[in-house]
């Protein structure tokens, strides 16, 4: 994922244009500014193709320098202002994500659902892609494979409103294996993005209430719900589905809901009634609260084996 950031000397973003193109996300980048504007740097990510991060006065992303925060809500206004002590300047920023390019962490595969490549993980775990991104309460953004227990990750309540929930279990955290997953692209107004999940993972299917649909049931035109402007929940439409090979992790939150790559989803899978799945996780949450993480992990291994049996039965009936 890369982005392009252009700076200007006028409020219409038309004069003395200087653009820095194909800038890598998740790292500090010094920007092209020309002679009319003093040095600048930026550290951005592109969750759901929405530029998010910080613009710094000066090179090197100095945390002591004057900064301005960039969010999806700000970017939607087009030409933006950075008010500095010395001089103001204006800028535009855009994520450049090729929807036909799954990126280095997700390798496209040409195969039927029942004929995955030989190097796929035969266990077919129920997970998110390890390369997916999650917002944290402290304002940072992490890849799914960087999340740890205790992290407060973006979630939502039963009405779809933003909240943050504590991670009590990360499954497959030591695995580097890959498996076939669905890369589901979507659009929601001017926002576009994608989420990569296993077939039975649950994605939010209503703005209110715990109504979900499994990923395997989604196709072009299907309705999902996504997070835009940092907090608003809106209806999105699936624009395409692609099979990819990728690493995987699953994140369990205390409220069993999570926002991954801007998409409202569940930590659980389509293995039975949703209320029953949530009830089955209550003992594990109790162990976490009691500080018995080692016991929690052993119980998770046992429940994981039961889950595989349930998943096999589910797939046979599908």
């Amino acid at each position: 994922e890369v982005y392009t950031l252009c700076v200007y000397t006028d409020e219409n973003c038309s004069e003395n244009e200087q653009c820095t193109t194909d800038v890598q996300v998740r790292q500090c980048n010094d920007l092209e500014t020309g002679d009319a504007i003093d040095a600048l740097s930026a550290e951005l990510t592109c969750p759901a193709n929405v530029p998010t991060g910080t613009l710094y006065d000066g090179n090197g992303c100095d945390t002591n320098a004057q900064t301005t925060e960039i969010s999806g809500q700000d970017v939607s206004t087009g030409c933006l202002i950075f008010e500095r002590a010395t001089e103001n300047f204006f800028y535009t920023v855009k994520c450049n994500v090729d929807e036909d390019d799954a990126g280095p962490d997700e390798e496209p595969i040409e195969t039927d659902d029942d004929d995955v490549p030989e190097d796929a993980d035969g266990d077919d775990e129920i997970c998110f892609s390890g390369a997916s991104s999650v917002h944290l309460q402290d304002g940072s953004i992490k890849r799914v494979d960087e999340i740890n227990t205790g992290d407060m990750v973006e979630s939502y309540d039963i009405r779809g409103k933003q909240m943050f929930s504590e991670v009590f279990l990360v499954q497959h955290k030591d695995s580097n294996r890959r498996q076939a997953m669905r890369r589901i692209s979507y659009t929601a107004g001017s926002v576009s993005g994608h989420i990569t999940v296993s077939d039975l993972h649950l994605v939010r299917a209503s703005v209110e209430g715990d109504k979900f649909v499994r990923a395997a049931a989604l196709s072009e035109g299907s309705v999902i719900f996504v997070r835009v402007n940092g907090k608003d929940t809106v209806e999105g439409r699936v624009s395409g589905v692609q099979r990819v090979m990728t690493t995987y992790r699953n994140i369990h939150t205390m409220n069993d809901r999570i926002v991954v790559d801007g998409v409202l989803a569940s930590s659980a899978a389509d293995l039975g009634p949703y209320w029953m799945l949530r009830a089955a996780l209550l003992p594990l949450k109790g162990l976490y609260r009691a500080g018995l993480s080692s016991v929690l992990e052993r119980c998770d291994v046992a429940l994981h084996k039961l889950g595989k049996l349930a998943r096999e039965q589910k797939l046979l009936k599908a």
Side-chain angles (χ1 to χ4, degrees):
E1 293 181 353
V2 297
Y3 64 90
T4 295
L5 195 151
C6 300
V7 295
Y8 307 84
T9 55
D10 71 305
E11 61 184 9
N12 295 316
C13 289
S14 61
E15 298 179 6
N16 297 312
E17 178 183 74
Q18 293 289 328
C19 293
T20 309
T21 61
D22 295 334
V23 187
Q24 292 294 322
V25 301
R26 298 189 180 90
Q27 63 187 39
C28 178
N29 298 281
D30 293 339
L31 305 176
E32 296 290 338
T33 58
D35 296 330
I37 300 175
D38 291 338
L40 298 167
S41 55
E43 189 172 14
L44 303 180
T45 59
C46 286
N49 292 9
V50 178
T52 303
T54 306
L55 190 59
Y56 298 85
D57 184 2
N59 291 331
C61 298
D62 183 358
T63 56
N64 294 318
Q66 185 177 354
T67 63
T68 187
E69 295 301 314
I70 298 174
S71 68
Q73 185 173 14
D74 294 333
V75 173
S76 66
T77 65
C79 188
L80 308 173
I81 185 172
F82 186 172
E83 298 179 345
R84 297 196 293 185
T86 54
E87 61 178 338
N88 296 340
F89 72 92
F90 302 84
Y91 66 96
T92 61
V93 59
K94 178 183 178 181
C95 289
N96 305 336
V97 180
D98 185 351
E99 289 300 319
D100 294 325
D101 179 12
D105 294 299
E106 297 180 358
E107 176 188 353
I109 55 177
E110 297 294 336
T111 179
D112 295 330
D113 289 346
D114 298 326
D115 184 26
V116 298
E118 292 182 358
D119 61 339
D121 185 347
D123 290 339
D124 195 21
E125 306 294 356
I126 299 173
C127 296
F128 300 104
S129 167
S132 292
S133 60
V134 178
H135 285 255
L136 276 68
Q137 190 173 31
D138 63 8
S140 64
I141 300 172
K142 285 186 178 181
R143 287 169 51 115
V144 165
D145 56 16
E146 296 172 339
I147 295 295
N148 298 304
T149 55
D151 284 346
M152 295 294 293
V153 298
E154 186 177 19
S155 182
Y156 54 95
D157 63 17
I158 196 168
R159 295 166 296 176
K161 293 186 177 181
Q162 185 187 44
M163 62 175 296
F164 293 87
S165 186
E166 185 174 359
V167 175
F168 74 90
L169 177 64
V170 179
Q171 295 174 307
H172 320 296
K173 61 183 178 180
D174 296 322
S175 175
N176 290 317
R177 301 183 71 180
R178 301 186 306 155
Q179 70 175 35
M181 286 188 168
R182 292 178 185 266
R183 185 177 189 262
I184 301 166
S185 300
Y186 66 85
T187 58
S190 61
V191 175
S192 62
H194 67 268
I195 181 174
T196 303
V197 291
S198 52
D199 290 357
L200 291 182
H201 221 103
L202 294 173
V203 177
R204 183 88 165 196
S206 66
V207 68
E208 292 191 5
D210 281 328
K211 296 180 181 179
F212 297 91
V213 61
R214 63 176 176 171
L218 295 173
S219 59
E220 187 171 351
S222 295
V223 174
I224 60 175
F225 287 85
V226 301
R227 181 67 41 75
V228 299
N229 299 338
K231 61 179 181 179
D232 296 331
T233 298
V234 301
E235 182 180 296
R237 295 277 178 172
V238 174
S239 58
V241 180
Q242 181 183 28
R243 295 286 277 179
V244 299
M245 289 286 290
T246 182
T247 58
Y248 51 85
R249 296 287 189 279
N250 198 25
I251 302 170
H252 284 279
T253 63
M254 294 300 285
N255 74 348
D256 304 313
R257 307 180 191 100
I258 189 169
V259 179
V260 175
D261 285 331
V263 176
L264 277 63
S266 172
S267 300
D270 185 21
L271 299 176
Y274 191 64
W275 66 265
M276 184 178 70
L277 298 174
R278 297 193 70 184
L281 292 170
L282 288 175
L284 300 184
K285 295 176 184 177
L287 291 172
Y288 175 76
R289 288 194 180 101
L292 301 174
S293 296
S294 60
V295 178
L296 165 60
E297 291 176 359
R298 289 196 294 270
C299 290
D300 175 57
V301 171
L303 290 173
H304 196 65
K305 292 179 180 179
L306 293 175
K308 285 185 179 180
L309 293 175
R311 182 166 72 252
E312 291 170 0
Q313 294 299 317
K314 189 80 175 181
L315 290 172
L316 286 174
K317 295 177 181 178

